[in-house]
Amino acid sequence: MSLSNHEVRCAVASMFDFKFGGAQRRLLYILPPLGFLALAALFWVGLGHDPGLIPSVLIDQPVPEFDLPPLKDDKPGLASADLTGEVSLVNVFASWCVPCRVEHPILMRLAERDDVAVFGLNYKDKPEDAKAWLAELGDPYGRIGADRDGRVGIDWGVYGVPETFVVGRDGRIRYKHVGPLTAEAVAERILPLVEELRR
Amino acid sequence: MRAAALALLLSVAGSAAWAVLPDEVLVDPALESRAREISKNLRCLVCQNQSIDDSDADLARDLRLLVRERLTAGDSDDQAIQFIVARYGDFVLLKPPFKPGTYALWFGPAVVLVLAGIGARLYFRRMARAPRTEAAPLSDDERRRLQAFAEREGEG
């Protein structure tokens, strides 16, 4: 199909619409690059967005009802009632989880602080493996609940270990960190939030 | 006999492709088929583009068992789905729900289509209204140059 002379001229004329006034014409020139920039900005933001991070629906909700048996004989288990009264971190970990090893030193350091309690939720782990793991690396937890079948983990919306929850004094979940804790995440988000929740 | 053996082999080979393991399947076929339907619409959070019905991930298996447990306990399909959504959010639904937060998603394509239609209409209308100017007849000079060009091409 070939365009007639007239059609081509009309198309060109409407592209640079000569009937438009100056302001409208300028707008017509500015719009395409603006559109491009908006799209580029959207993609740029999208590039930094990790699709693996799913926002938790439990934020600002009370912790789920649960009561887990202890992992170790000399340390109590973990239940919903233990998460009220003071600000606490609930760290979901397992001995089979490699990134848990990465974040472990950070938890050891957090355990030394007296402004926040660090609790462990041992997720779908063999008790002997978990105990050996803690004996090797150190045990940062004040209480550890053994979630052998992972049901409590599901109630907490856990989908990948490690995950760390910040729970306020009122027993409501205020923040969830997915993946290994980093020094940066602790310094910039978790500790300021703990400070705020203590007030 | 051979055909029967082949049929058996094929049916076994077919079932091997399922992520649902035999020990998960409910005895009641009606409940089981409801569980399968629900599972097909729930996202596996570990391998996010698979449903929990397709996925071999550990968490997918736990969620499949949980759905079956809810149904056995007497939950309706919706109740069982809501049970999972309450823990993992709308993101677990492979088909996004229809609510104010997702209106842009559901209406977006239609809005774009309407806008494009309006744009095309304006464009064609303007084209139709553009003055139809006849091309000016060739001048004597142009005619001579055309003649010379045609002759040159004819020789080559």
Side-chain angles (χ1 to χ4, degrees), chain A residues 85-105:
Chain A
E86 57 180 333
V87 180
S88 49
L89 296 184
V90 176
N91 176 248
V92 185
F93 75 103
S95 64
W96 46 261
C97 147
V98 179
C100 293
R101 213 168 252 275
V102 176
E103 71 170 3
H104 193 270

Side-chain angles (χ1 to χ4, degrees), chain A:
Chain A
M1 192 193 90
S2 68
L3 292 169
S4 76
N5 206 3
H6 171 72
E7 279 167 328
V8 172
R9 251 192 260 171
C10 277
V12 172
S14 63
M15 257 191 273
F16 303 99
D17 205 335
F18 296 121
K19 278 175 293 182
F20 276 164
Q24 274 169 313
R25 207 165 128 196
R26 219 170 299 138
L27 190 72
L28 214 65
Y29 281 119
I30 292 168
L31 270 180
L34 267 187
F36 169 78
L37 281 179
L39 210 60
L42 187 72
F43 290 161
W44 182 253
V45 171
L47 271 180
H49 172 84
D50 182 354
L53 296 182
I54 303 160
S56 174
V57 283
L58 296 174
I59 301 300
D60 293 337
Q61 301 290 318
V63 296
E65 274 308 311
F66 73 102
D67 189 356
L68 284 174
L71 172 74
K72 299 158 99 180
D73 300 329
D74 58 347
K75 195 163 268 186
L78 190 64
S80 325
D82 301 324
L83 299 174
T84 48
E86 57 180 333
V87 180
S88 49
L89 296 184
V90 176
N91 176 248
V92 185
F93 75 103
S95 64
W96 46 261
C97 147
V98 179
C100 293
R101 213 168 252 275
V102 176
E103 71 170 3
H104 193 270
I106 293 176
L107 286 165
M108 292 300 284
R109 248 173 284 142
L110 281 169
E112 289 164 13
R113 302 179 65 98
D114 47 17
D115 57 351
V116 61
V118 179
F119 297 136
L121 199 155
N122 187 220
Y123 181 71
K124 300 194 82 170
D125 210 351
K126 289 200 193 94
E128 29 329 341
D129 290 353
K131 278 186 248 182
W133 195 80
L134 291 172
E136 181 200 333
L137 297 169
D139 181 355
Y141 307 111
R143 288 169 170 273
I144 304 174
D147 183 22
R148 293 215 53 187
D149 60 5
R151 275 305 161 83
V152 172
I154 289 177
D155 286 342
W156 281 74
V158 170
Y159 63 91
V161 222
E163 289 185 10
T164 306
F165 296 84
V166 180
V167 181
R169 286 211 272 227
D170 53 357
R172 283 177 186 267
I173 296 173
R174 296 300 179 181
Y175 182 73
K176 174 184 182 178
H177 180 93
V178 180
L181 288 171
T182 57
E184 188 195 3
V186 169
E188 285 173 12
R189 282 186 296 271
I190 292 179
L191 289 181
L193 180 62
V194 166
E195 185 68 24
E196 189 192 317
L197 292 174
R198 280 172 59 81
R199 262 184 253 136

